[in-house]
Amino acid sequence: MSVFENPAFRHHESVHFCADEKTGLQAIVAIHSTVLGPALGGCRIINYKDSAEALEDVLRLSRGMSLKNALAGLELGGGKSVIIPPASWNGDARRAGADRAPLFEAFGRAVQSLGGRYISAEDMNVSVEDAENMALTTDYVVGLDVKHGGMGDPSPLTADGVFFGMRACVRRAFDRDDFKGLRIAVQGLGKVGWRLCEHLHEAGAELLVADIDLKTLSRAEKTFDAKIVDKDGIVTEAVDVFAPCARGAIINDDTIDHVQAKVIAGSANNQLASDRLGKALMQKGIIYAPDYVINAGGVINVAPEAKGIVDHDWVREKVIKLEDTVGEIVDESLAQNRPTNEVADEIAMRRIITARDSGRSWRAAGTKKTSLRRSA
Ligand code: NAD
């Protein structure tokens, strides 16, 4: 199937295939929309089966970034990029060799050639150090360290946003504002899941936790008095709230019939294996906080950086508002008897289309300079 016939290509503004012979770089940058602002979305490096699979991934993700940025009320469009690891890396996307930095510098040059229409950041297997290597050759990368003019680690803000968004769901599901005594299952105790547990523990919730890392689990048992449960079985535990904070597709055809939680609210991306499962959750009376809405704290955190500024107060205010955003989506879903994921997609698309039809479109206003950029 060619690019234009691919259904995932629909509504994309452009797709860029980038290569650099010297470093072996092969990358795809997908720009879904620049109506609301430059297309911002992370870069991931993954072993894809083939370039068609990489294309499918980047197209799907870039559309998701348009929706996420629009719903978070950011002046940003949506884009994403994927790098296919060079053959010499032998399938190790996290390879730490001397050829890693030049690859990301080459990718930075490709990003720079797009003139600011796309702004990159970290995603799967791409570290702050990789992003800073991109920043040697492009002005258009965010997620840099504080000492290089960045906004720092987005995870705490993501966790805070999940906590606020979860409270909006709890209010609607249980008619209460507090978490005291609520049984909450958190899958994945990484950067986001751990901080979420801190908030929930402090708020008096009873925690059930799962992770693949045994040390982390025993730390959680001591710190939060949490009950350790099976990493796969956690999705079907008899709890009030389930917070997926590890991997995607956790709500799928195998699990959906066994979910007992009344609320699903977590940070993991693509929690639903397919969009239609949103309707199935609604029919079971489960309130699902759409993943890209509730986990927007991270992208909100880097938004000022895209304008070349640092503004932690603005970020904090925006993240607090996620409680209202999630609440409004749930209210609309309940009032119209429509799945929350469908309501969220529609609000986001409406914002983009309204802006587009009013003639709004983003133009590069100037060049944002990172402190790392080498002079040309
Ligand atoms: P992380 O890598 O720090 O943590 C993930 C945790 O999940 C780790 O502790 C890992 O051991 C655990 N894990 C992995 N597989 C598991 C499994 N099968 N069962 C249970 N636990 C498992 O990642 P993170 O930054 O905390 O992000 C968590 C999720 O939230 C990811 O899906 C990520 O894409 C998403 N997300 C994160 C951010 C952010 O700011 N960090 C923003 C938006 C979305």
Side-chain angles (χ1 to χ4, degrees):
M1 192 194 307
S2 84
V3 180
F4 290 111
E5 280 73 44
N6 188 329
F9 178 73
R10 264 187 78 218
H11 303 308
H12 271 76
E13 288 179 10
S14 58
V15 179
H16 306 265
F17 294 85
C18 320
D20 175 65
E21 212 171 301
K22 202 164 154 203
T23 57
L25 174 76
Q26 289 190 327
I28 312 174
V29 179
I31 297 180
H32 179 262
S33 171
T34 58
V35 170
L36 297 177
L40 183 140
C43 168
R44 54 173 59 179
I45 178 163
I46 293 189
N47 284 307
Y48 292 103
K49 190 171 66 199
D50 52 30
S51 57
E53 189 182 63
L55 177 63
E56 185 76 23
D57 199 32
V58 76
L59 291 174
R60 208 177 40 82
L61 291 164
S62 63
R63 175 179 180 274
M65 286 308 300
S66 285
L67 300 180
K68 180 174 191 154
N69 294 339
L71 248 174
L74 302 174
E75 290 177 339
L76 289 169
K80 201 85 181 184
S81 54
V82 297
I83 298 178
I84 297 163
S88 60
W89 288 24
N90 294 321
D92 179 9
R94 296 190 190 193
R95 180 182 163 98
D99 43 4
R100 190 170 181 96
L103 186 87
F104 282 96
E105 284 186 40
F107 180 67
R109 279 190 289 277
V111 170
Q112 186 69 9
S113 75
L114 301 174
R117 289 183 66 237
Y118 169 68
I119 299 177
S120 196
E122 298 89 348
D123 195 63
M124 284 173 78
N125 299 327
V126 172
S127 64
V128 173
E129 197 184 336
D130 295 331
E132 296 195 341
N133 280 316
M134 291 181 211
L136 296 172
T137 53
T138 184
D139 300 306
Y140 306 112
V141 56
V142 294
L144 307 185
D145 195 273
V146 178
K147 64 177 182 285
H148 294 128
M151 289 288 294
D153 182 7
S155 312
L157 276 306
T158 303
D160 296 356
V162 171
F163 179 70
F164 297 137
M166 188 187 286
R167 188 159 59 196
C169 298
V170 162
R171 188 172 297 128
R172 277 128 185 115
F174 305 110
D175 197 20
R176 57 187 281 183
D177 275 332
D178 68 304
F179 289 89
K180 231 177 187 58
L182 278 186
R183 277 167 67 80
I184 302 184
V186 181
Q187 183 186 43
L189 301 174
K191 295 186 290 293
V192 178
W194 186 270
R195 182 165 167 122
L196 177 65
C197 284
E198 287 178 339
H199 289 317
L200 294 171
H201 179 61
E202 201 183 309
E206 192 186 317
L207 293 174
L208 285 77
V209 295
D211 200 289
I212 48 173
D213 187 88
L214 297 181
K215 273 198 200 133
T216 305
L217 282 175
S218 87
R219 204 154 57 93
E221 194 175 23
K222 286 189 200 104
T223 315
F224 308 125
D225 197 17
K227 181 179 169 203
I228 299 170
V229 295
D230 179 70
K231 73 175 172 50
D232 299 318
I234 190 164
V235 60
T236 59
E237 285 285 342
V239 289
D240 299 303
V241 180
F242 172 50
C245 298
R247 57 192 177 87
I250 189 71
I251 304 299
N252 53 49
D253 288 332
D254 294 332
T255 58
I256 186 132
D257 287 339
H258 311 286
V259 176
Q260 300 191 62
K262 283 273 162 278
V263 168
I264 298 178
S267 72
N269 283 312
N270 301 323
Q271 291 169 28
L272 306 182
S274 110
D275 282 349
R276 72 184 156 73
L277 293 166
K279 186 171 180 190
L281 287 175
M282 182 190 75
Q283 286 168 339
K284 277 171 70 76
I286 297 170
I287 293 181
Y288 164 63
D291 45 19
Y292 70 80
V293 183
I294 196 168
N295 74 13
V299 75
I300 291 172
N301 188 58
V302 294
E305 231 181 301
K307 292 184 171 169
I309 55 174
V310 168
D311 191 341
H312 294 285
D313 292 340
W314 179 88
V315 167
R316 186 86 205 138
E317 230 169 82
K318 272 264 189 228
V319 170
I320 288 171
K321 283 199 187 121
L322 285 177
E323 181 160 353
D324 294 340
T325 308
V326 171
E328 281 155 23
I329 288 167
V330 174
D331 287 343
E332 204 164 317
S333 152
L334 294 171
Q336 300 178 358
N337 201 27
R338 288 172 58 214
T340 50
N341 55 321
E342 210 179 287
V343 170
D345 284 9
E346 193 189 89
I347 296 173
M349 278 314 289
R350 203 187 307 140
R351 278 188 195 163
I352 296 168
I353 289 166
T354 306
R356 186 198 62 195
D357 292 351
S358 69
R360 183 170 164 185
S361 83
W362 173 81
R363 298 271 178 279
T367 306
K368 173 181 106 51
K369 285 264 176 271
T370 70
S371 62
L372 291 167
R373 178 104 152 89
R374 280 189 198 127
S375 45

